[in-house]
């Protein structure tokens, strides 16, 4: 299991130049998620923060909402054909009284690093219901703070700096109006992964395992576009604001309007678009 891997490449240029050199690639390996010993899903991810990834994934699936919902997260559950420990398996044991995931939500095909809802067994299962009232969050985010987030995220992207091949997600806390605070907010957590959904799951997993849900008065900044799945993941974790450097989809904006999530797109540091719950962004 490696976050990055070195590989020999031949670089060719338009002027006829040729040069052999070493390149650094982002790691990508399968991870099997088990709940109570039963296989639930297999996703492709960049190794690292696997327990957080699984916890965040199960929050987005509606299985977990608090650290107390988990009795044990075993990243030593898998065994290879040669009898060695398989680092690509995490088994989750739910606490007594926590309902196991419905069979209709089990993923029947593996989830690629670019897919959020691939393999979901039914259309109804795509839309999960959050336990948190995101619409009631009265957070007010200064425009300057939002515009500064892409640069703050990029500065923390160590693996991207080495490979150019991973996405990232960051969680920012916004102080209450009138109280002591940092005008730019506190950067709580940054995670990277070849899958943008995985990067978000790792951030949410960090939060749920630390007993921080719901994530009221926070902003989730992502390095890619704002999809339906990312708006849903934000709502499931109680995050009121989702900001992306690229475009949102129509369904993402409609879901944000429905659930009360502020959806921000094309945040490039000098301007941005606010598509839903615009009153939360303070010029």
């Amino acid at each position: 299991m490696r976050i990055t891997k070195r590989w020999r490449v031949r670089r060719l240029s338009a002027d006829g130049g040729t040069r052999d050199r070493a390149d650094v690639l982002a790691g990508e390996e399968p991870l099997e998620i088990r709940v109570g010993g039963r296989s639930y899903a297999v996703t492709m991810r960049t190794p690292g923060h696997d327990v957080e990834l699984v916890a965040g994934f199960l929050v987005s699936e509606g299985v977990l909402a608090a650290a107390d919902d988990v009795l044990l997260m075993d990243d030593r559950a898998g065994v290879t054909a040669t009898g060695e420990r398989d680092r690509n398996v995490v088994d989750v044991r739910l606490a007594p009284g926590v309902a196991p995931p419905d069979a209709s939500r089990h993923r029947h095909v593996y989830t690629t690093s670019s897919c959020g809802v691939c393999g979901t067994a039914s259309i109804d299962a795509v839309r999960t219901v959050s336990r948190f009232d995101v619409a009631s969050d009265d957070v007010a985010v200064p425009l300057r703070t939002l515009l500064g987030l892409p640069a703050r995220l990029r500065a923390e992207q160590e693996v991207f700096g080495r490979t150019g091949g991973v996405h990232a997600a960051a969680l920012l806390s916004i102080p209450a109006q009138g109280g002591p605070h940092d005008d730019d907010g506190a950067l709580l957590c940054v995670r990277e992964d070849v899958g943008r959904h995985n990067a978000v799951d790792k951030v949410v997993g960090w939060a749920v395992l630390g007993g921080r849900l719901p994530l009221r008065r926070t902003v989730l900044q992502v390095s890619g576009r704002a999809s339906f799945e990312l708006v849903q993941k934000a709502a499931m974790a109680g995050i009121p604001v989702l900001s992306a450097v690229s475009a949102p989809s129509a369904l993402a904006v409609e879901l944000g309007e429905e659930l009360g999530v502020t959806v921000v797109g094309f945040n490039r540091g000098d301007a941005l678009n606010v598509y839903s719950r615009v009153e939360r962004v303070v010029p």
Side-chain angles (χ1 to χ4, degrees):
M1 287 179 57
R2 284 185 285 184
I3 297 176
T4 61
K5 185 175 183 178
R6 296 184 69 82
W7 198 265
R8 295 293 298 180
V9 300
R10 176 162 294 175
R11 183 171 181 82
L12 308 175
S13 58
D15 61 5
T18 301
R19 182 164 62 97
D20 291 344
R21 64 181 180 87
D23 197 8
V24 180
L25 308 178
E28 183 176 29
E29 296 184 19
L31 177 68
E32 180 183 1
I33 300 170
R34 299 177 183 173
V35 179
R38 182 182 179 186
S39 183
Y40 183 71
V42 177
T43 184
M44 300 299 295
R45 96 299 188 192
T46 298
H49 304 288
D50 289 337
V51 169
E52 292 178 353
L53 169 59
V54 173
F57 177 81
L58 292 178
V59 168
S60 68
E61 295 285 292
V63 178
L64 304 180
D68 292 343
D69 291 342
V70 179
L71 187 63
L72 176 67
M73 299 194 73
D74 186 3
D75 61 354
R76 299 171 178 265
V79 180
T80 66
T82 59
E84 300 176 347
R85 182 163 69 89
D86 188 351
R87 292 178 172 269
N88 289 322
V89 177
V90 175
D91 189 12
V92 181
R93 299 183 190 177
L94 301 176
V98 177
D102 189 277
S104 67
R105 294 196 61 83
H106 284 234
R107 305 300 177 97
H108 297 290
V109 297
Y110 84 92
T111 303
T112 68
S113 57
S114 61
C115 178
V117 297
C118 298
T120 303
S122 69
I123 295 297
D124 289 340
V126 170
R127 297 180 77 102
T128 48
V129 179
S130 178
R131 305 185 201 182
F132 309 121
D133 182 11
V134 183
S136 68
D137 197 315
D138 62 354
V139 63
V141 188
L143 175 62
R144 186 188 72 173
T145 297
L146 271 179
L147 290 174
L149 264 178
R152 295 176 71 179
L153 175 61
R154 178 64 184 87
E156 298 292 332
Q157 291 182 248
E158 178 185 352
V159 180
F160 180 84
R162 297 166 61 191
T163 67
V166 293
H167 287 280
L171 187 68
L172 184 82
S173 69
I174 303 298
Q177 289 180 304
H181 62 276
D182 176 355
D183 286 342
D184 291 326
L187 204 58
L188 301 177
C189 179
V190 177
R191 294 290 183 264
E192 295 181 273
D193 198 281
V194 288
R196 55 198 174 91
H197 303 90
N198 293 341
V200 171
D201 282 340
K202 288 178 178 180
V203 168
V204 172
W206 169 86
V208 68
L209 294 176
R212 294 173 176 262
L213 263 58
L215 288 166
R216 294 183 63 82
R217 310 195 66 80
T218 60
V219 178
L220 179 65
Q221 175 68 47
V222 296
S223 60
R225 63 186 180 88
S227 64
F228 166 89
E229 300 97 328
L230 296 192
V231 174
Q232 182 168 268
K233 287 178 184 292
M236 295 299 290
I239 300 171
V241 182
L242 170 65
S243 171
V245 299
S246 192
S249 69
L251 191 56
V253 172
E254 291 169 1
L255 185 65
E257 190 68 32
E258 175 188 334
L259 299 181
V261 176
T262 298
V263 177
V264 175
F266 293 107
N267 186 353
R268 305 291 172 81
D270 56 353
L272 52 79
N273 294 343
V274 186
Y275 294 87
S276 60
R277 293 299 300 266
V278 297
E279 72 277 4
R280 288 191 175 127
V281 180
V282 183

